[in-house]
Amino acid sequence: MIEKRNLTLDFAKGFALIFMIVQHFSVWLWEGYSKSTSVASENPIYFAAISLSAFSAPLFIFCAGSGASFFMEKYRDHKKIVKRGVLLIITGYILNLLITSWFTPASWYVLHLIGFAFITVPLLSVIKSWQRIILFWLIFGLSIVFQTLLNTPYSINSPRMGDLELSLPFLRFAFVEGHFPVLPWLAFFIFGYNGAQDIAQNRYRKLLLQGAILWLIAAIFASMAIFTDLAELNPFISRIVTIRIRFYPVLGPAFLFLTGSVPFLIYIFHFAVKHFGFFSAWMVSIGRISLSVFAAHLFVKQLVYNSDMGGEFSKVFTISVTVAVLVFCVLAERLWSMVYYRFGLEWLIRKFS
């Protein structure tokens, strides 16, 4: 039986997944992405769509946190959600072994992170809201501390985030230097967990205020980097105030800007679901099978790169394939829902927990 769902969160997950696929397919397929020096100026609309993927991981992790809060409110079952977390981490490591064109056995991606976050839910469920806020800031601070101690580069690529030659690679990538390490990405999950009841009760003013405060702090930190010499004083302060668009690794201003943006995006999605139901239906559809689609789309890279065709296709072909895949997902969800998404990743996680 399909449980009653929060359509705003489904929309958010659909948005996150769609633009992640747009970005990934452009990198994996399009020859112009890596060979052109002026992608933005020559392809402004396409580049804008690709750029929206910057919000994909923050939204997805935030929604996982909110979903975990709703789960605990309904079931109050610590053991069940911990099992789901363990299963997600296992799934992540299985994908590491299968998607060798991208990951190594030690890689730590978004499924691993959400799985770890689920394991922390028993703690999050028994502490108060203000204590979770303190934990949010503690995680942010610890991420800067450990990046500084490890002398993490200010920009790291996929090979570096899976390099087994580094010391303690499994712990290093899981907690500090992976694609989505616990420090600081667990903070997005906590933010979502804390905001779940505000979403459920349509208290968006409170969420938007929190987002605005985070934006303000991000602007203050960024201004310190621009107008003062604080970034040059020591590595710790530098990582707090340095402005970098990429979030591998995520630094102070980028972390705060992305976190602060989530409430505004969630409110926009809430408005779209409420007033443009037909328009938003396809986003919601993909959001309902987001884990399954996420896992399946990784095999596209494996296929393309194993065939030595990475970055060999035209923009028209790349966009056509992307649109075809997304339309297929929407239609498949409608048919799949009739059998309650049987054998999908979401179904398997529920089945074995």
Side-chain angles (χ1 to χ4, degrees):
M1 181 176 180
I2 300 177
E3 299 175 358
K4 184 178 180 181
R5 303 180 65 95
N6 186 295
L7 296 183
T8 298
L9 293 183
D10 278 338
F11 188 110
K13 288 186 287 186
F15 176 96
L17 190 75
I18 286 170
F19 286 98
M20 179 198 68
I21 289 176
V22 168
Q23 193 268 340
H24 283 171
F25 278 24
S26 68
V27 175
W28 301 342
L29 302 177
W30 182 28
E31 60 181 353
Y33 192 88
S34 59
K35 297 177 182 178
S36 174
T37 58
S38 53
V39 173
S41 60
E42 294 176 4
N43 308 271
I45 296 176
Y46 192 20
F47 182 77
I50 292 170
S51 299
L52 286 172
S53 67
F55 300 105
S56 292
L59 276 170
F60 203 64
I61 297 166
F62 177 94
C63 290
S66 295
S69 178
F70 294 146
F71 175 92
M72 291 305 297
E73 182 181 21
K74 181 174 182 179
Y75 295 106
R76 302 191 182 280
D77 190 333
H78 290 175
K79 185 180 295 186
K80 183 182 286 287
I81 200 161
V82 168
K83 281 184 180 179
R84 292 188 178 186
V86 171
L87 288 171
L88 279 173
I89 292 175
I90 292 172
T91 301
Y93 280 119
I94 290 172
L95 288 171
N96 284 357
L97 300 177
L98 296 175
I99 312 301
T100 54
S101 59
W102 194 357
F103 304 132
T104 71
S107 295
W108 184 269
Y109 208 73
V110 70
L111 286 186
H112 308 76
L113 183 275
I114 292 174
F116 181 91
F118 280 178
I119 294 172
T120 71
V121 166
L123 170 63
L124 297 179
S125 66
V126 298
I127 63 177
K128 299 182 184 301
S129 177
W130 65 268
Q131 293 172 317
R132 290 193 288 267
I133 293 172
I134 291 175
L135 186 57
F136 171 94
W137 287 106
L138 178 62
I139 288 169
F140 167 65
L142 286 174
S143 72
I144 301 299
V145 168
F146 279 98
Q147 286 177 25
T148 305
L149 291 175
L150 290 173
N151 196 26
T152 303
Y154 280 68
S155 181
I156 48 182
N157 56 23
S158 286
R160 172 64 167 69
M161 290 183 279
D163 188 352
L164 296 173
E165 298 297 320
L166 294 171
S167 60
L168 300 174
F170 284 87
L171 287 175
R172 177 187 290 261
F173 301 140
F175 286 94
V176 187
E177 293 185 345
H179 290 81
F180 299 101
V182 172
L183 304 173
W185 287 92
L186 180 60
F188 288 92
F189 184 90
I190 294 171
F191 192 36
Y193 194 96
N194 239 18
Q197 294 308 311
D198 294 326
I199 293 172
Q201 298 175 32
N202 294 332
R203 296 195 303 251
Y204 285 97
R205 184 175 299 179
K206 180 181 175 182
L207 268 179
L208 294 175
L209 177 60
Q210 294 176 56
I213 291 171
L214 290 168
W215 272 358
L216 176 61
I217 299 173
I220 292 171
F221 285 171
S223 298
M224 290 178 180
I226 296 171
F227 299 112
T228 74
D229 296 328
L230 287 175
E232 301 174 6
L233 290 180
N234 65 62
F236 179 80
I237 294 177
S238 175
R239 293 176 189 277
I240 291 178
V241 303
T242 295
I243 306 167
R244 290 197 66 85
I245 296 175
R246 282 175 54 85
F247 50 62
Y248 297 134
V250 65
L251 303 179
F255 168 80
L256 295 167
F257 173 75
L258 289 170
T259 314
S261 298
V262 169
F264 293 92
L265 291 170
I266 293 292
Y267 179 73
I268 291 171
F269 301 153
H270 166 73
F271 184 88
V273 167
K274 187 175 180 180
H275 297 284
F276 303 100
F278 178 78
F279 168 76
S280 65
W282 58 287
M283 285 279 197
V284 170
S285 294
I286 295 182
R288 287 175 172 166
I289 54 172
S290 54
L291 287 181
S292 297
V293 176
F294 167 79
H297 101 286
L298 296 175
F299 290 91
V300 173
K301 178 171 186 178
Q302 187 72 0
L303 174 63
V304 169
Y305 280 75
N306 280 356
S307 304
D308 293 323
M309 295 188 295
E312 296 295 329
F313 300 96
S314 69
K315 181 174 72 172
V316 172
F317 179 85
T318 301
I319 294 175
S320 299
V321 169
T322 305
V323 171
V325 166
L326 295 176
V327 170
F328 171 81
C329 290
V330 172
L331 297 177
E333 188 277 334
R334 291 292 79 205
L335 295 173
W336 206 3
S337 66
M338 297 178 184
V339 292
Y340 310 120
Y341 311 111
R342 188 174 296 273
F343 303 116
L345 184 52
E346 293 87 350
W347 182 89
L348 290 170
I349 294 295
R350 289 194 298 270
K351 183 75 172 177
F352 292 101
S353 61

